[in-house]
Amino acid sequence: MTKRVFSGIQPSGHIHIGNYIGAIRNWLGNLESRDNIFCVVDQHAITVDYDPDALRQGTRDAVALYIACGLDPEKCRLFVQSHIPEHTELAWLLTCVTPMGWLERMTQFKDKAGAKRERIGTGLFTYPTLMAADILLYQTHEVPVGDDQKQHVELTRDIAERFNRKFGEVFVIPEPVIPVVGARIMGFDDPTAKMSKSAPGHHHSVGLLDDPAKARKTIMRAVTDSQQGIVFDPARAGLFNLLSIYQVLTGQGREQIEAHFAGKGYGDLKKEVAEVVIAEIEPIQQRYRELIADSTYIDAVLARSVEKLRPVADATMDAVRRAMGHR
Ligand code: ATP
Ligand code: LTN
């Protein structure tokens, strides 16, 4: 049986090399061997303050960027979450089987809500049940994500198991798939914080659509330390981050990389990291510019995916509604 893969990215800002290395690159690796579904999760992007016009534009940009990165619509199904309304229907049903205590343990909520806890929308708190619905609606086996989403996929497993125990075997239990290297790319301006779309700071991240000159400048300014020697030492967070990016994008081993940089300084390393990052993003940018100009093509890709996904979503919802007593 071909395993089904589901994953998604929020269109909440510019997709950066952390998203690319932690998620998209690993989706590309299984394009031939799995049944792949990739989603632009536009309903997740409304859990924080946002601008509707920017969301509309960001959603289309993200679809074009997925394709530009190599997610061939002939080999996977690319779609926009809000185009299949059952995501939110299932989310509500799952919310009713998810204990408050489970959601209260989610570290991302604690980080994102912070001091604004009393004022933010309830959706930021219940959002992991929408993510669980995304995954469970398609009877997913594998969920390739970065390290920060592991807890949410584990919660999804717990919710599915609880549902199956209470209402009968309806859901496949999914597994998180986390990359060995690059699962948590850190901000260039602060290597103690995860690179994030929503983080402020002009030199925090490199976006896949950033101008190469800006990308180079951000990497050259990356915060490191005052020690000597270019070695993979997790305690030297800024250096470790640069080396990890270099490792993933060149495909070289750690020993080979350390030997290559022996006797060299941070300036040399940053210059070479900038070169490999720019070499990776330039062809993506070129394909993106061609794609974004052709809106009929993007619309056709999205419509075709919905047509193919609808029977899968219908079958799951039919089983869920029956199991829960709504039919
Ligand atoms: P936001 O700041 O809007 O929450 P984000 O940058 O955290 O955005 P998401 O849309 O939440 O991005 O994440 C999409 C995918 O990219 C997820 O699989 C997530 O685990 C992965 N990802 C996000 N940030 C990183 C990172 N810094 N390193 C590796 N993977 C990441
Ligand atoms: N919550 C994820 C994005 C996301 C997702 C999903 C990832 C929403 N639904 C389903 C994998 C599977 C995030 O990165 N913030």
Side-chain angles (χ1 to χ4, degrees):
M1 186 201 46
T2 309
K3 286 195 174 169
R4 181 166 288 149
V5 171
F6 184 101
S7 198
I9 294 184
Q10 308 190 143
S12 49
H14 293 298
I15 294 180
H16 50 70
I17 58 167
N19 302 130
Y20 180 71
I21 291 173
I24 298 174
R25 264 186 117 257
N26 306 300
W27 306 352
L28 291 167
N30 284 325
L31 230 41
E32 305 292 340
S33 63
R34 303 280 199 273
D35 174 14
N36 293 285
I37 307 174
F38 300 118
C39 185
V40 176
V41 288
D42 58 342
Q43 288 166 326
H44 285 271
I46 65 171
T47 54
V48 291
D49 204 19
Y50 79 103
D51 171 57
D53 288 328
L55 177 62
R56 210 176 341 265
Q57 189 57 44
T59 302
R60 286 192 82 73
D61 287 354
V63 176
L65 204 46
Y66 274 13
I67 304 172
C69 286
L71 296 171
D72 179 350
E74 300 300 323
K75 296 185 179 155
C76 59
R77 285 162 283 181
L78 306 178
F79 80 111
V80 174
Q81 184 185 30
S82 64
H83 294 186
I84 301 204
E86 283 81 356
H87 286 252
T88 44
E89 180 185 352
L90 182 57
W92 170 249
L93 303 177
L94 296 178
T95 301
C96 294
V97 298
T98 306
M100 288 275 287
W102 290 7
L103 291 177
E104 274 162 358
R105 281 202 293 275
M106 296 297 111
T107 54
Q108 194 186 55
F109 174 74
K110 291 181 213 165
D111 294 346
K112 282 203 174 181
K116 293 181 293 204
R117 210 187 141 93
E118 294 301 314
R119 280 174 286 129
I120 44 132
T122 319
L124 190 66
F125 181 65
T126 57
Y127 131 110
T129 59
L130 178 59
M131 177 162 164
D134 301 337
I135 296 167
L136 300 178
L137 185 59
Y138 301 102
Q139 306 290 0
T140 302
H141 300 96
E142 293 178 354
V143 186
V145 285
D147 177 64
D148 63 309
Q149 294 302 315
K150 189 165 179 239
Q151 195 184 33
H152 292 155
V153 182
E154 280 163 356
L155 176 80
T156 302
R157 287 172 63 87
D158 291 342
I159 295 172
E161 279 166 359
R162 190 174 158 105
F163 185 102
N164 285 356
R165 260 198 314 274
K166 197 168 162 67
F167 298 109
E169 291 291 317
V170 170
F171 294 123
V172 166
I173 309 299
E175 279 189 45
V177 180
I178 315 292
V180 180
V181 185
R184 193 176 189 83
I185 300 298
M186 310 309 270
F188 288 116
D189 57 350
D190 176 4
T192 64
K194 180 189 91 85
M195 186 179 286
S196 166
K197 284 190 239 96
S198 45
H202 199 54
H203 295 291
H204 168 75
S205 66
V206 167
L208 293 186
L209 296 178
D210 274 0
D211 170 51
K214 180 188 174 237
R216 181 173 287 109
K217 201 165 171 191
T218 296
I219 296 169
M220 293 308 293
R221 290 169 64 137
V223 171
T224 46
D225 53 48
S226 52
Q227 296 184 50
Q228 300 273 310
I230 309 282
V231 287
F232 281 88
D233 176 359
R236 293 165 68 187
L239 171 62
F240 190 80
N241 194 40
L242 289 168
L243 283 172
S244 300
I245 293 168
Y246 189 86
Q247 183 183 358
V248 171
L249 295 184
T250 62
Q252 294 174 17
R254 289 188 174 182
E255 279 177 18
Q256 190 183 356
I257 295 170
E258 287 179 350
H260 174 73
F261 286 110
K264 295 185 184 162
Y266 284 143
D268 303 304
L269 170 67
K270 289 177 179 177
K271 217 188 275 168
E272 289 205 40
V273 171
E275 291 312 320
V276 297
V277 167
I278 291 166
E280 191 83 16
I281 64 176
E282 271 187 329
I284 295 175
Q285 297 183 354
Q286 202 174 335
R287 285 195 295 274
Y288 167 82
R289 281 193 287 269
E290 291 160 16
L291 286 158
I292 203 72
D294 188 353
S295 66
T296 45
Y297 173 70
I298 293 180
D299 287 339
V301 165
L302 295 177
R304 194 152 40 102
S305 295
V306 168
E307 214 174 282
K308 288 196 178 147
L309 291 171
R310 178 129 295 294
V312 187
D314 283 346
T316 302
M317 287 315 296
D318 187 52
V320 169
R321 292 182 195 121
R322 283 174 193 282
M324 293 188 84
H326 291 134
R327 291 288 185 281

